[in-house]
């Protein structure tokens, strides 16, 4: 069987789908690295909503996907940008997601960390921003999950300089019940975060970030860096206090950053590990044995798919993530909260299918082929 896939120049190319999936079995947590997959949410396809309505979530399918990730030993990073925080999922929906997912994690013994932000407000004084963070922090701490202090659009919009970041983060870290993960999300993921930490210059911003960590090292479990700059991440992790982890959020260079070098390595908190969960887990288990070359051999081939999904404008990578979840049979439809399934072109989606199929990511390649053909037919591709 073959399938006709559209190219960016308007032509069609013939692709022969893979016959067999990659053989990967579930397993326990890893011993050499702490690895979180930032997970997407599954929309309710029958909800009568518009793109600017509060998100309608299919809770059963959303939680089932988290159980899938946990079954392979991965942790779940919940209510992050992969779950469309600020791009379809508002704080009310995120709070419900955190409560439900944390309860599910307790029931299966899964590792979970949840995003804490300020997306219930759009701006305001430092005091108002602190209060918004505190409201969300309370929900995460009450759920029993580890908190991830996400970058704040409100703070980026109103801060007058580094001192505002130092004041807000210092206030929050002093009161956190448990160590948190600090999240630095670059503007390629969210343009509203340009100039975060009070400086457009990344070297200057890095110094402010390190100043926050140095002031409260016992309150920081780790940092999550999503700047798509491997050298900057390596330089940053080498300057961290010994007990503070670096969780890579670099969806372009994750194999080399996780493998590390003679001076250290990164743990992981990655959106690409949503579709790559099983093979990523298999690779980390190889790394657990000390076989870095074997780890790279398994994970390096996945980078082409990741770079494709996360190509500019990077913030729309979620569309490809949900497409692959649908094609893999983790949900019954290709619908996203906020109507974001329309955010990528048909040639982009077709290439994502081809790359994922080549890697053997689909448990049922025939189902994936049939679903891709159905999607193509909706766009008028009938040959």
């Amino acid at each position: 069987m073959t399938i006709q896939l559209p190219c960016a120049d308007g032509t069609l190319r013939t692709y022969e789908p893979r016959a067999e999936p990659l053989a990967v079995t579930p397993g326990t947590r890893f011993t050499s690295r702490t690895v979180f997959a930032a997970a997407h949410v599954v929309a309710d396809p029958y909800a009568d909503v518009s793109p600017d309505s509060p998100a309608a979530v299919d809770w059963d399918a959303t939680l089932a996907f988290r159980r899938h990730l946990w079954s392979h030993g991965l942790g779940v990073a919940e209510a992050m940008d992969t779950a469309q925080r600020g791009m379809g999922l508002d704080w009310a929906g995120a709070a419900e997601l955190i409560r439900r997912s944390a309860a599910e994690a307790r029931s299966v013994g899964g590792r979970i960390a949840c995003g804490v932000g300020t997306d219930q407000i759009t701006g305001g004084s430092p005091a108002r921003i602190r209060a918004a963070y505190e409201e969300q922090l309370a929900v995460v701490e009450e759920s029993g999950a580890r908190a991830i202090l996400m970058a704040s659009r409100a703070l980026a919009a109103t801060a007058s300089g580094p001192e505002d970041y130092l004041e807000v983060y210092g206030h929050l870290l002093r009161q956190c019940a448990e160590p948190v993960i600090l999240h630095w999300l670059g503007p390629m993921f969210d343009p509203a975060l340009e100039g975060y930490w009070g400086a457009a210059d990344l070297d200057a911003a890095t110094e402010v970030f390190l100043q926050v960590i140095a002031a409260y090292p016992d309150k920081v479990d780790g940092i999550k860096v999503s700047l798509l700059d491997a050298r900057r991440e390596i330089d940053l992790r080498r300057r961290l206090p010994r007990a503070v982890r670096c969780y890579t959020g670099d969806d372009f260079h994750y194999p080399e950053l996780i493998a590390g070098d003679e001076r250290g390595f990164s743990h992981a908190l990655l959106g690409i590990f949503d579709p790559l969960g099983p093979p990523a887990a298999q690779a980390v288990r190889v790394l657990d044995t000390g076989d870095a070359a074997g780890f790279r051999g398994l994970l390096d081939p996945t980078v082409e798919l990741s770079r494709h999904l996360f190509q500019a404008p990077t913030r729309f990578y979620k569309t490809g993530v949900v497409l692959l979840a649908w094609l893999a049979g983790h949900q019954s439809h290709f619908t996203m909260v906020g109507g974001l399934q329309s955010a990528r072109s048909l040639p982009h989606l077709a290439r994502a299918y081809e790359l994922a199929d080549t890697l053997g990511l689909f448990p049922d390649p025939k189902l994936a082929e049939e679903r891709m053909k159905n999607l193509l037919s909706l766009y008028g591709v009938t040959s």
Side-chain angles (χ1 to χ4, degrees), residues 142-162:
E142 289 167 5
S143 77
R146 184 173 298 280
I148 304 170
L149 293 188
M150 301 170 66
S152 165
R153 289 177 178 174
L155 184 55
T158 60
S160 59

Side-chain angles (χ1 to χ4, degrees), residues 117-257:
T118 63
D119 44 327
Q120 70 272 54
I121 63 172
T122 57
S125 65
R128 187 167 184 241
I129 292 168
R130 289 197 307 268
Y133 264 127
E134 289 169 345
E135 177 188 352
Q136 297 199 14
L137 180 62
V139 171
V140 172
E141 290 185 338
E142 289 167 5
S143 77
R146 184 173 298 280
I148 304 170
L149 293 188
M150 301 170 66
S152 165
R153 289 177 178 174
L155 184 55
T158 60
S160 59
E163 63 280 353
D164 288 331
Y165 290 89
L166 294 171
E167 192 279 328
V168 168
Y169 278 88
H171 176 86
L172 293 170
L173 290 172
R174 284 192 295 272
Q175 63 180 285
C176 289
E178 299 289 340
V180 303
I181 298 171
L182 297 181
H183 189 191
W184 187 357
L185 192 68
M188 68 289 295
F189 287 92
D190 187 345
L193 299 177
E194 183 73 46
Y196 211 74
W197 304 111
D201 178 75
L202 288 179
D203 290 336
T206 297
E207 296 306 317
V208 178
F209 190 41
L210 287 168
Q211 190 175 344
V212 170
I213 298 164
Y216 304 95
D218 59 327
K219 290 300 187 77
V220 181
D221 166 80
I223 62 170
K224 195 265 193 181
V225 188
S226 298
L227 299 175
L228 302 183
D229 184 335
R231 174 46 56 188
R232 183 170 296 278
E233 178 175 321
I234 291 169
D235 291 343
L236 178 56
R237 81 185 182 201
R238 288 175 177 173
R239 297 179 63 188
L240 293 175
R242 183 177 297 275
V244 176
R245 297 181 177 93
C246 180
Y247 294 93
T248 188
D250 188 330
D251 301 280
F252 284 3
H253 307 99
Y254 51 92
E256 63 193 82
L257 290 165

Side-chain angles (χ1 to χ4, degrees), residues 297-368:
L298 290 171
L299 210 55
D300 281 359
T302 69
V303 171
E304 185 179 5
L305 171 63
S306 188
R307 291 189 174 210
H308 177 74
L309 295 181
F310 285 79
Q311 68 183 225
T314 302
R315 64 189 181 277
F316 295 122
Y317 75 87
K318 298 96 169 172
T319 301
V321 165
V322 174
L323 170 81
L324 297 184
W326 172 54
L327 296 178
H330 294 299
Q331 54 193 77
S332 62
H333 58 86
F334 178 39
T335 305
M336 298 177 67
V337 299
L340 209 63
Q341 66 271 14
S342 66
R344 290 294 200 187
S345 70
L346 185 62
H348 177 92
L349 299 177
R351 182 59 176 159
Y353 159 74
E354 181 179 2
L355 290 170
D357 181 73
T358 300
L359 291 169
L361 292 187
F362 303 129
D364 184 343
K366 184 61 178 176
L367 173 66

